[in-house]
Amino acid sequence: MTIALLLTGCSSAVDGKAFREGAAPGASEAKYPRYKPPADGSGFSDQVLDQPLALPVEQSEEGCGWLESVKPDLQPLGLVSTKSSLSGCQFVFPGNKGAQVHAYHPYGWITQDSPVMEPVEIAGIKGRTYAFDPEPATFCSVNMDVRAYASIAVDAYDVTSDEAGTRAEHCELAKKVAEVLLKKFVPLAGGKPAPSTVQEPSAEALKNMDVCEVVKFTHANYAGVNAGREGAQKGEGPLGPTCTHEVPYAKAVGMYTTGTGGLEAVPPKAGAEVRNGQFGTLKARFEQTEEACALSVQLGNGQVVQVDFIGKKREAMPRTCVSAQLILSVSMLALITGEH
């Protein structure tokens, strides 16, 4: 099982240079405890989340429409063929070596035992190399934190058998494919997002939407709020409908505005530390108190989607903004793809 968590990022600069590395303002250094990611890369990111999506996030043939454009870049690796599938965008290389690309999940906090879990840096981007199955399985993956709603992951394997080849060579292939993709499609590595990549929800994304489908129980699961579908409690706030997911660990409240006045029409919490910035390509605002953090994001039509994460256990407190951002990342991906 993987639980995906991301650290709060606020920046008005899309080039990611507004804050020094490791200084994403997820918590005030003076007032609030700072999250420290584990050295092996298994934890959620401590980098700002201010970048556009690099690749389409749809799990479909349309989501792999960029494959043709990357073929010349992969020729030095001996590319044999490409294929679109629901499980990922696939490549075949000489010697029965395969690679598969996923670009539709946030950078995840991996909690399960893994025989391989190591930090990696490719084309200046931080990430991890990992594998869940012990030997004799030889599968290997890299997962790169591209500071967007969705990370880029590359799995490498032998196409004929889970136990053929060696893990070391598959890890190396995954890193090489990832380097090509990062340099071609990720702005932080000098690339440009694939032309077909949709960066924001449509203007009609929230029309007639059940708020508990916008901020869904499965989205809250990523941040450790496992209340289940039956635990989702609908309500009505002064600005729009609300959906609350609550467990002894923490409470997550999703909301969207029925009005289109943008963030200016959403009053910040009284007494909160307020930070304005970016969430992907969208205008955003964080409001943090000692026990909670609300992230509000303005959509293109002026509506606002908000996740307010309230910690109830001590271990949740350093992760309030982290958790709000993570939940809203998953919600934003669902709004973009229309999968609820």
Side-chain angles (χ1 to χ4, degrees), residues 141-286:
S141 301
V142 296
N143 188 200
M144 306 307 299
D145 173 22
V146 296
R147 288 179 18 201
Y149 307 140
S151 62
I152 289 180
V154 180
D155 310 321
Y157 45 86
D158 191 287
V159 298
T160 62
S161 170
D162 291 343
E163 299 179 6
T166 68
R167 177 160 280 158
E169 62 186 356
H170 294 152
C171 289
E172 192 61 28
L173 176 61
K175 292 175 185 178
K176 289 179 179 178
V177 172
E179 182 176 15
V180 169
L181 298 178
L182 294 174
K183 289 181 176 179
K184 189 170 185 69
F185 298 118
V186 175
L188 288 172
K192 295 182 179 180
S196 58
T197 304
V198 178
Q199 298 293 344
E200 302 173 7
S202 72
E204 299 293 308
L206 295 176
K207 187 176 182 180
N208 300 321
M209 278 290 292
D210 184 324
V211 66
C212 287
E213 291 297 308
V214 175
V215 182
K216 200 171 183 178
F217 75 99
T218 52
H219 306 169
N221 285 350
Y222 278 79
V225 180
N226 306 303
R229 183 184 299 276
E230 296 75 18
Q233 300 295 316
K234 294 181 186 179
E236 192 69 32
L239 301 175
T242 64
C243 186
T244 300
H245 311 275
E246 186 171 7
V247 294
Y249 167 71
K251 176 169 67 173
V253 182
M255 183 274 289
Y256 70 79
T257 63
T258 52
T260 56
L263 290 173
E264 290 75 14
V266 180
K269 288 182 178 182
E273 178 184 272
V274 177
R275 302 184 296 276
N276 297 308
Q278 296 289 130
F279 188 62
T281 61
L282 297 169
K283 184 178 178 181
R285 185 178 72 212
F286 287 86

